[in-house]
Amino acid sequence: MCYLSDYGEHAIAMAKEAVATCGVDGLFLDCMNTRPCIGKECLDAMAKEGVDWQDSRQLHAFNQRKIVGMAKRLADAVRTVKSDLLLYFNGVGYEAQQSIGSYLEFECLPTGGWGYETQAVGFRYLRTFGKPVLNMTGRFHRSWGDFGGIRTEASLEYDCLNGLANGMRPTIGDHFHPRGDINRAVAALDTRIYQRLQKLEPWLEDAKPLTEIAVPTLRPYPGYDYLASEERDDYNRDFTAIKGATRMLCELKQQFDVPSPISSWENYRVLVLADSVILDGDCRQRVADHLARGGVVIASAQAGLDRDRRDFALPEWGLQYHGDEATETTFLQAGPELAAGLPDMPMAFYERGVVVSAKPGTAVLGTVVEPYYDRHWDGRHGFVYLPPDKDSGRPAVTCNRQVGYLSHPVFTSYYKHGSVPMRQLVEKLLARLFPQPLLLTPGAPSFMRATVCSQTGRRMVHLLAYLPETRGAGCAMIEEPLLVEQQRIALREDDREVRDVYLAPQGEKLPFSREDGYVVVTVPKLRGYALVVFAE
């Protein structure tokens, strides 16, 4: 239904009536992201604004203004009835809700099509807005309205704990049966989980995530549905890289955000510019300011190029750009500084990279090995198998005082192909440029997640040991928590003197030591989840 038609005023009147007569504390307006409309009212409005409705980009941009306008009209109307109403408009961009809604919700049913990668990005994106965030998962195995489906207890608990570990509160979504029947199996499941979560309350109230790294996005998230078809390829490209970087940094136990285009970058010590971040206008200035403050950058492929993609926008890269690689697949020859822990062989870059040369002061840590040929069909033969041929000497991995650079889109490659050496390269650059991160977890399994939050007088480390497993045709499942034993963790003490370390909520004290500016403790056993408290 079109919000510029009489339906818009009808919906506003219904909302006002509900607030006036039902004693509600708030309204959740769902599914507000309607498709573009070319009815009479919209055509008249577009004509007044000078919008060409046959231009897909202009049409979609007008449609988003219309949706945001409807949210504002509705918010203003219901607040005349009750000024302190809680309001959320699902489907309106998070940026727009900064000045309209009361809080934010992150809707994600990981087994219902959203996926766990979406959850990992969304948590770290929404918490940068400075508003309270509600983590909306659901009990349905597939998606909303799956009345016969129920999540496993471990998967539902993981959603809730993962949200808590990232600074947001949980809600488990459901639908009542139209007869009003209570599904006692679902109620019992929710009760068990909430009773366990409630015991953590003292360590959750006003707890703030501590982060040092930013993976900035220049596009609103999620924004795919808001875009004209001509813009969607670029959106998908950029967010594939963001999801790959998020996956890597989660596995490396780094403390990071995915700040929105309107969020500040000032308090981060590291910027990770994933694959396709062009430095133009405000973005160029923000990166320059970050470097001027002494911050460091990890960049890859085209990240750092100027608007015209002619060269790198800032001299701190220490590189010159020469265009794309001639072949789709090339290989990495690691130099001595990178070799430890990597296979002693040329390692494939599975996505096309760019050609760069290093300027004085920039160290080349790895070079590009070319294949004999690119994959092709010459009319008689298929050239399919690609052994590496000669080391070209061209830089593949470089580093100077402030910028670590990889000439290939390693974050996209990691998301699409899961090549562990790509993560190892990023880990090695971080170790050179940022050798003392807030948290260290030596020997931790890659599936474990670790986040740090802070309250007055204490900091908490949330450890989660669950593994979403792709089953069958592609449903990501968590059936049971995993056991991790004798896990050593080290929290950088900074200027906060730690006096006691214990597990919450049980209060079991853990012996600790101090090593090189870190407070070091060993968690004897965690099954799925442990909350380690460093009291001051």
Side-chain angles (χ1 to χ4, degrees):
M1 301 293 285
C2 179
Y3 298 140
L4 295 187
S5 72
D6 291 343
Y7 167 75
E9 293 306 315
H10 177 62
I12 291 170
M14 286 195 295
K16 290 180 67 176
E17 179 183 346
V19 174
T21 63
C22 299
V24 299
D25 295 312
L27 295 176
F28 178 96
L29 285 301
D30 201 6
C31 300
M32 289 197 66
N33 189 34
T34 58
R35 294 178 180 179
C37 170
I38 51 172
K40 180 182 184 304
E41 295 86 356
C42 281
L43 288 174
D44 289 345
M46 283 188 276
K48 287 182 181 179
E49 292 186 22
V51 173
D52 179 2
W53 67 269
Q54 296 183 84
D55 182 317
S56 179
R57 293 173 188 252
Q58 292 187 48
L59 178 65
H60 278 77
F62 171 82
N63 186 56
Q64 287 308 304
R65 294 196 297 275
K66 179 180 71 173
I67 292 167
V68 173
M70 175 63 178
K72 289 180 178 177
R73 287 160 56 201
L74 201 150
D76 291 343
V78 296
R79 284 178 174 142
T80 63
V81 182
K82 186 176 181 179
S83 61
D84 61 346
L85 205 65
L86 287 169
L87 292 176
Y88 184 71
F89 302 91
N90 205 30
V92 176
Y94 299 124
E95 286 78 7
Q97 295 211 53
Q98 281 291 84
S99 59
I100 307 172
S102 311
Y103 67 101
L104 298 175
E105 291 204 24
F106 181 64
E107 177 188 2
C108 180
L109 276 60
T111 60
W114 281 256
Y116 285 97
E117 309 295 344
T118 299
Q119 187 183 75
V121 175
F123 285 170
R124 291 166 176 80
Y125 182 80
L126 267 73
R127 70 187 186 189
T128 67
F129 285 89
K131 279 182 174 284
V133 183
L134 193 62
N135 170 26
M136 186 212 296
T137 186
R139 67 89 165 173
F140 300 113
H141 175 63
R142 294 306 296 166
S143 193
W144 300 110
D146 172 25
F147 283 97
I150 187 168
R151 298 275 298 281
T152 64
E153 189 160 340
S155 70
L156 197 52
E157 184 169 56
Y158 173 75
D159 289 1
C160 296
L161 287 169
N162 199 13
L164 293 172
N166 284 281
M168 56 195 66
R169 294 307 185 96
T171 180
I172 300 173
D174 198 359
H175 295 315
F176 274 117
H177 191 283
R179 291 192 300 262
D181 299 350
I182 294 175
N183 188 324
R184 299 193 183 279
V186 172
L189 172 65
D190 294 349
T191 299
R192 290 194 301 273
I193 291 173
Y194 275 133
Q195 284 178 340
R196 290 196 290 270
L197 299 181
Q198 283 173 337
K199 296 176 182 178
L200 303 173
E201 185 69 29
W203 298 273
L204 304 176
E205 189 68 31
D206 298 324
K208 305 296 183 186
L210 296 179
T211 55
E212 302 180 294
I213 298 175
V215 185
T217 170
L218 306 183
R219 297 177 181 272
Y221 173 82
Y224 180 88
D225 291 336
Y226 306 159
L227 300 173
S229 58
E230 307 94 302
E231 303 170 290
R232 293 184 177 186
D233 286 347
D234 287 345
Y235 177 90
N236 286 335
R237 176 203 64 205
D238 292 351
F239 267 98
T240 296
I242 292 287
K243 288 186 283 189
T246 297
R247 178 86 190 185
M248 270 193 199
L249 294 175
C250 283
E251 292 175 354
L252 294 173
K253 319 301 185 281
Q254 297 287 347
Q255 306 306 301
F256 70 102
D257 288 326
V258 181
S260 84
I262 67 171
S263 299
S264 171
W265 301 356
E266 291 184 4
N267 294 324
Y268 300 107
R269 300 170 69 174
V270 183
L271 295 182
V272 174
L273 305 181
D275 296 353
S276 57
V277 179
I278 300 302
L279 301 191
D280 182 26
D282 179 62
C283 181
R284 181 188 185 281
Q285 188 59 53
R286 294 172 83 174
V287 174
D289 291 344
H290 169 79
L291 292 166
R293 291 191 294 268
V296 299
V297 170
I298 304 290
S300 53
Q302 296 189 22
L305 293 180
D306 59 28
R307 178 181 60 186
D308 299 323
R309 292 177 170 81
R310 293 180 179 176
D311 207 346
F312 291 101
L314 294 171
E316 286 84 354
W317 260 242
L319 298 166
Q320 187 163 357
Y321 172 70
H322 303 287
D324 289 343
E325 284 280 3
T327 56
E328 183 77 22
T329 300
T330 50
F331 304 85
L332 165 71
Q333 181 61 57
E337 300 93 337
L338 294 180
L342 289 173
D344 184 16
M345 57 178 279
M347 290 165 287
F349 290 118
Y350 292 107
E351 301 288 324
R352 189 186 301 271
V354 300
V355 178
V356 299
S357 58
K359 296 180 179 179
T362 296
V364 176
L365 308 181
T367 52
V368 173
V369 175
E370 297 174 334
Y372 282 90
Y373 43 75
D374 216 351
R375 287 188 175 91
H376 66 282
W377 168 254
D378 70 357
R380 291 175 178 264
H381 306 96
F383 290 75
V384 178
Y385 300 110
L386 286 184
D389 185 16
K390 299 175 183 177
D391 190 334
S392 69
R394 298 194 301 272
V397 184
T398 65
C399 195
N400 56 34
R401 189 171 61 87
Q402 286 188 280
V403 178
Y405 178 79
L406 303 111
S407 66
H408 287 64
V410 294
F411 300 107
T412 296
S413 184
Y414 194 65
Y415 182 74
K416 292 171 68 173
H417 309 291
S419 175
V420 172
M422 300 300 103
R423 187 188 71 208
Q424 292 174 300
L425 293 177
V426 173
E427 183 179 19
K428 288 173 181 292
L429 287 178
L430 281 170
R432 288 176 70 97
L433 291 168
F434 188 52
Q436 291 186 303
L438 180 61
L439 184 69
L440 298 172
T441 58
S446 62
F447 61 76
M448 195 175 86
R449 299 292 178 260
T451 61
V452 184
C453 291
S454 177
Q455 291 174 317
T456 301
R458 61 191 176 200
R459 290 175 293 174
M460 293 75 64
V461 177
H462 298 259
L463 302 175
L464 291 97
Y466 298 81
L467 180 61
E469 176 192 15
T470 300
R471 295 189 177 182
C475 179
M477 279 287 296
I478 297 175
E479 191 165 351
E480 54 272 312
L482 301 182
L483 176 65
V484 176
E485 296 183 295
Q486 300 300 312
Q487 178 59 57
R488 195 166 183 258
I489 65 172
L491 182 66
R492 199 177 64 222
E493 194 162 21
D494 295 333
D495 297 325
R496 303 174 67 161
E497 184 179 355
V498 173
R499 301 182 183 276
D500 198 14
V501 181
Y502 61 92
L503 293 171
Q506 59 267 46
E508 176 188 345
K509 291 197 174 186
L510 299 176
F512 64 93
S513 61
R514 288 181 168 87
E515 301 176 16
D516 301 323
Y518 286 84
V519 178
V520 182
V521 64
T522 296
V523 180
K525 181 183 294 187
L526 71 101
R527 187 178 295 278
Y529 177 74
L531 180 58
V532 186
V533 182
F534 292 75
E536 299 158 14

